[in-house]
Amino acid sequence: MSTGIRSKAEKHAWGRRVLAELKEELDRLEAADSLHIPVEPGGWWHQYVCSRHHAELLFDPAERDAQSFLCPHGCRIEGEAYRGAWLVFKHQSLARAALQAAAVYAASREASYALLAKRIIAGYARQFPGYPVHPDAQPWMLKGRAFHQALTEAIWSTTLLRACLLLYDEGVAWTEAEREAIDGYLRLLETSMTEYRHILIHERRNAENNYTAWLNAALSCVYAVKGDRGGLLALIAGEGGWKHHLSIGVKPDQLEFEGSTYYHVFVLRAYLISAEMAERFGIDLYDAEGTAGQSMSGMFDVLAALADDRGVLPALHDGPVERLPYAREIAEIMEIGLGRYRQPGIVPILREAYRQMGDPDGARCQLEALLYGEGEDPGARRFGESAAAGTNAAGCTDSGETGLQRDSRLLPDSGFVLGRRASNALSFLADFGPHGGSHGHYDKLHLTLMHRETAFAPDFGMVPYGSELRKQWFAETASHNTVSLGGASQAAHTGSCLRFEETAAHTYVWLRSEGAYPGCRMDRHLLLTDRWLLDWFEVAAGEVASIEWWMHPVVPVEAEAVPAGVETRTEQPPDEDGFYRLAIDGEWQRLPVVKRYGAVAPVGSARELRLTYKVPGGGRIYHTALLRPGDEAYAVRTPGTSVDPSRPLTALLHRRQGRSARFVHVYSAGARTALKEMPSGAIQVESAGEIRICELTEQGLTVIGGERHE
């Protein structure tokens, strides 16, 4: 690794630029006298969240010590839990500083940076034996020493030990006292990680847990530093080991078993660290496969399929929408994946990660670039294009600056389906699969709607787990683009995909849920053509209920067109006191209603509610909803995204009281699309003079037409 680091700084302009940035950052931290190891162990980072705004608190690595903590909105917060969470960030930032200093030394040969890295590594090695098994950890946790969780300890230790290995590779000399301290740290860490693995795999019978991948990664680093090839081989091959975990922790369709993009990245990063350590012994894990064909290459491929056209990964189930440490993790694994597997879909995700890390053009920056980047900078405007059309320096076929032409995809084991068409700026991602265990949401038949230029109606992901909104909003049905009954969330269950087809004319998906509520069946039909997306949602509730269809755009409404004869009133809620009520965890929560579009008259035909959204860059999304007799529609104020829930959004609630409901909506990006319900119950869709008739049958949605009207 070290020779490659030096070569990058000598050969590439981006390498020299990043090296200078990393040196400047370390020098600034040293000048602030902030690179000192706190004596106290860390707590649980998820508690580093404002109880008022539910936003993650700010952390400055240049701060040597802190007793009060700042919210992005100006709140000052104190308390032991916040202090413990701050210490997690501080210890992690110091481990990162050690790895950064080792990388700067490898690139520059300036001895001061090697001394800095050694000081931090040896300091932690001396201090670690003094930490008891954490007395303040929560009962459900595997308890660590330096942190509440053994999981956090494993992640932190891999950073320290990678720094140690990099210095070893560079031939840096250690004193006898330093070697003894490191040997003692390794013995204690190996004992702890081995014990935690035994508890998880053999006592709790939970080998597939994402913890296991990280305990394996930490032990792999221990064996690499010790030169223990036998220990590493046993770890790879045993129960809960690298190969076994790949087979049970990843579905055959290549997505991590919890159905969370965040935890997929999390586990893949642990796998890659183990593979890096194995390679030091001549053992190749990069092309290894699980029993059902699972592989790291496949795990990269499914991420490329899930990402939107800008390279943004969806926040499926638990996980942040956007967060700096997460962006760094994405950049790390994508740099490694690009170098190993040369997959073209990696490039847009890598660019987006670097944009989130601070470079507006998505160019390489920060430590991950210097450690793992290879070849030309993927953030360059025309990344590595050769004279041969569309072939870049990474050996990838690139259809343009921002991405590739990608098809629709069904992930049958994880229960997600993507719909894309090259000529339509809109695409979708729908969820019908397993709940996702402790990281799942009550969101079956959720629809994520994307535009090429922006997110339109995404999954909001999850706030830090210390926030009350984790259970009071973000995991609940009403926060997703799906259907709830009576203000209550769905039960944890698995839906099904009854049809998935892609033809020259359209992409069609039929999804079903029969376990959300007793006696309730829900069917969502999604039809994507080259012009529009039809969303037809049928609900048979089984008994009289308030049937609630939710959509949560993050793009504000630019214009509204309300059906003729329907009164639009502000602050006219479904309930008399101005709120819409949701039943969450046995308690009633209230969401303010800001507008009622009016109940459609109980007789007569369905009418169109038309909404227009302005997309960044000048485009528009046109949304048309059929309001049938007895339907109601409301604009409801909700918490914002998981990045900052205190910045409210406005959701569309389409509601009907009864035993059944039909919700028909259509979206288009080029021109307004019109809907009309015919006497037979079929739906007429008209766009740019072209008419199609959509009808539900026992086989699903059938489409007739293509007739053009001038």
Side-chain angles (χ1 to χ4, degrees):
M1 180 191 287
S2 57
T3 302
I5 291 173
R6 190 156 55 249
S7 174
K8 296 169 200 176
E10 294 171 349
K11 182 178 179 181
H12 298 291
W14 67 261
R16 293 187 292 275
R17 170 177 52 79
V18 171
L19 175 60
E21 292 169 355
L22 297 179
K23 289 175 65 175
E24 188 278 330
E25 181 182 17
L26 289 172
D27 293 347
R28 176 168 47 83
L29 293 173
E30 277 280 66
D33 199 29
S34 66
L35 298 178
H36 290 272
I37 299 173
V39 175
E40 304 157 79
W44 190 39
W45 82 261
H46 280 283
Q47 293 175 306
Y48 204 60
V49 60
C50 177
S51 59
R52 177 184 173 190
H53 296 97
H54 304 280
E56 188 174 322
L57 303 178
L58 302 176
F59 173 77
D60 181 2
E63 195 170 20
R64 176 169 175 170
D65 196 15
Q67 299 295 332
S68 66
F69 314 97
L70 184 64
C71 163
H73 297 279
C75 304
R76 275 282 176 189
I77 302 174
E78 297 181 0
E80 291 184 11
Y82 301 105
R83 167 72 176 174
W86 180 87
L87 284 163
V88 174
F89 287 98
K90 186 62 180 178
H91 288 307
Q92 289 175 330
S93 73
L94 287 167
R96 180 180 176 85
L99 182 57
Q100 184 167 323
V104 168
Y105 174 72
S108 68
R109 309 300 295 179
E110 295 182 39
S112 61
Y113 296 103
L115 292 173
L116 171 58
K118 285 177 59 183
R119 188 182 86 208
I120 295 172
I121 295 167
Y124 272 121
R126 285 189 290 267
Q127 188 162 295
F128 188 75
Y131 293 133
V133 174
H134 211 302
D136 298 325
Q138 297 181 30
W140 58 268
M141 295 177 176
L142 277 177
K143 298 179 181 181
R145 290 176 175 273
F147 306 91
H148 276 196
Q149 290 201 88
L151 175 63
T152 313
E153 196 154 289
I155 298 166
W156 165 81
S157 68
T158 62
T159 305
L160 277 180
L161 295 180
R162 284 166 118 182
C164 187
L165 286 166
L166 184 51
L167 293 178
Y168 285 179
D169 291 344
E170 284 294 314
V172 171
W174 299 78
T175 67
E176 184 175 348
E178 289 169 339
R179 287 197 302 271
E180 288 179 356
I182 291 171
D183 288 344
Y185 165 59
L186 292 174
R187 284 193 298 271
L188 190 53
L189 185 65
E190 181 180 2
T191 299
S192 298
M193 294 292 123
T194 302
E195 179 185 351
Y196 301 147
R197 285 185 82 253
H198 180 82
I199 294 171
L200 196 61
I201 296 168
H202 300 287
E203 295 181 16
R204 299 187 182 179
R205 307 305 300 172
N206 192 16
E208 70 275 14
N209 197 299
N210 59 64
Y211 269 47
T212 309
W214 276 101
L215 299 177
N216 290 343
L219 282 169
S220 295
C221 291
V222 169
Y223 295 139
V225 175
K226 291 173 60 178
D228 185 353
R229 190 174 193 273
L232 185 61
L233 282 171
L235 180 67
I236 292 169
E239 183 178 0
W242 192 94
K243 290 185 177 179
H244 183 220
H245 194 272
L246 179 65
S247 296
I248 62 175
V250 179
K251 298 277 191 179
D253 59 22
Q254 308 293 342
L255 193 63
E256 194 264 349
F257 81 100
E258 293 162 298
S260 162
T261 322
Y262 173 76
Y263 283 100
H264 181 97
V265 169
F266 188 63
V267 167
L268 178 54
R269 182 169 177 243
Y271 287 169
L272 287 165
I273 291 172
S274 293
E276 176 189 328
M277 298 304 122
E279 191 174 42
R280 300 178 74 91
F281 294 98
I283 303 165
D284 181 13
L285 296 180
Y286 290 100
D287 295 319
E289 292 189 355
T291 54
Q294 302 96 324
S295 67
M296 290 197 293
S297 174
M299 294 178 74
F300 278 107
D301 178 69
V302 79
L303 286 175
L306 288 168
D308 72 10
D309 291 329
R310 299 165 299 140
V312 178
L313 292 171
L316 306 175
H317 295 176
D318 277 358
V321 172
E322 182 176 323
R323 186 170 178 263
L324 178 59
Y326 183 37
R328 287 171 170 168
E329 292 172 4
I330 293 171
E332 176 182 323
I333 69 169
M334 291 300 158
E335 287 285 20
I336 297 170
L338 185 62
R340 287 281 173 177
Y341 303 113
R342 324 293 278 185
Q343 294 175 358
I346 288 173
V347 174
I349 303 174
L350 183 58
R351 290 172 177 164
E352 175 60 25
Y354 282 129
R355 277 192 287 270
Q356 293 183 21
M357 290 163 67
D359 190 283
D361 298 320
R364 282 183 168 133
C365 61
Q366 299 194 25
L367 177 60
E368 288 68 25
L370 191 62
L371 283 174
Y372 310 110
E374 294 182 10
E376 293 189 52
D377 188 346
R381 180 170 176 81
R382 296 183 65 81
F383 169 49
E385 283 191 344
S386 68
T391 302
N392 62 39
C396 307
T397 303
D398 197 336
S399 64
E401 181 184 346
T402 59
L404 310 139
Q405 297 297 337
R406 295 174 297 159
D407 295 329
S408 303
R409 181 179 291 197
L410 174 66
L411 303 179
D413 307 293
S414 301
F416 296 98
V417 60
L418 297 117
R420 294 189 177 97
R421 298 190 71 81
S423 57
N424 195 332
L426 299 180
S427 59
F428 71 83
L429 168 60
D431 178 351
F432 65 89
H435 179 68
S438 61
H439 295 298
H441 292 184
Y442 305 98
D443 62 350
K444 283 315 124 219
L445 276 53
H446 163 83
L447 174 68
T448 289
L449 187 54
M450 300 165 281
H451 185 280
R452 266 191 204 124
E453 300 299 327
T454 189
F456 173 61
D459 197 320
F460 290 147
M462 183 51 68
V463 287
Y465 298 157
S467 167
E468 292 180 350
L469 285 184
R470 181 191 187 190
K471 293 184 177 180
Q472 291 181 357
W473 180 245
F474 285 99
E476 302 304 316
T477 302
S479 75
H480 293 84
N481 305 320
T482 187
V483 164
S484 61
L485 295 190
S489 280
Q490 300 174 1
H493 71 291
T494 300
S496 57
C497 179
L498 301 184
R499 264 181 72 185
F500 169 68
E501 65 182 29
E502 198 162 18
T503 71
H506 62 250
T507 301
Y508 170 57
V509 174
W510 177 10
L511 306 177
R512 172 168 288 178
S513 160
E514 295 182 285
Y517 304 93
C520 177
R521 187 179 75 194
M522 302 192 294
D523 291 277
R524 191 163 209 163
H525 303 267
L526 299 166
L527 183 71
L528 182 67
T529 73
D530 292 336
R531 296 178 183 272
W532 40 264
L533 169 65
L534 178 68
D535 176 15
W536 186 329
F537 208 130
E538 291 274 325
V539 183
E543 59 184 26
V544 175
S546 171
I547 306 172
E548 303 136 350
W549 179 100
W550 292 93
M551 180 59 70
H552 298 269
V554 294
V555 179
V557 173
E558 180 186 47
E560 302 171 343
V562 182
V566 174
E567 181 183 2
T568 301
R569 295 171 287 175
T570 58
E571 299 180 359
Q572 277 296 316
D575 297 306
E576 293 180 358
D577 60 355
F579 294 90
Y580 192 83
R581 284 175 168 76
L582 301 172
I584 297 176
D585 273 357
E587 297 183 2
W588 288 97
Q589 310 294 333
R590 304 192 303 170
L591 298 177
V593 174
V594 296
K595 182 174 291 186
R596 177 179 180 176
Y597 294 109
V600 179
V603 295
S605 61
R607 307 176 189 180
E608 291 183 327
L609 169 64
R610 297 181 173 185
L611 304 173
T612 304
Y613 304 85
K614 188 173 182 180
V615 175
R620 282 171 175 77
I621 295 174
Y622 301 96
H623 177 188
T624 303
L626 272 185
L627 296 183
R628 306 172 73 224
D631 285 3
E632 298 171 326
Y634 301 91
V636 180
R637 189 79 74 223
T638 73
T641 71
S642 56
V643 174
D644 189 353
S646 69
R647 298 183 183 274
L649 293 169
T650 301
L652 176 64
L653 169 60
H654 186 173
R655 185 177 80 149
R656 185 179 185 86
Q657 187 80 16
R659 294 180 181 275
S660 63
R662 169 178 292 180
F663 303 111
V664 181
H665 295 246
V666 68
Y667 307 87
S668 53
R672 170 71 63 190
T673 299
L675 291 174
K676 181 180 179 181
E677 187 171 37
M678 305 177 73
S680 65
I683 301 296
Q684 175 182 294
V685 185
E686 181 176 358
S687 178
E690 182 179 271
I691 293 177
R692 295 192 188 183
I693 306 299
C694 300
E695 185 175 9
L696 279 184
T697 70
E698 291 183 355
Q699 288 72 46
L701 204 62
T702 61
V703 185
I704 306 169
E707 180 183 356
R708 196 170 177 79
H709 291 253
E710 300 300 333

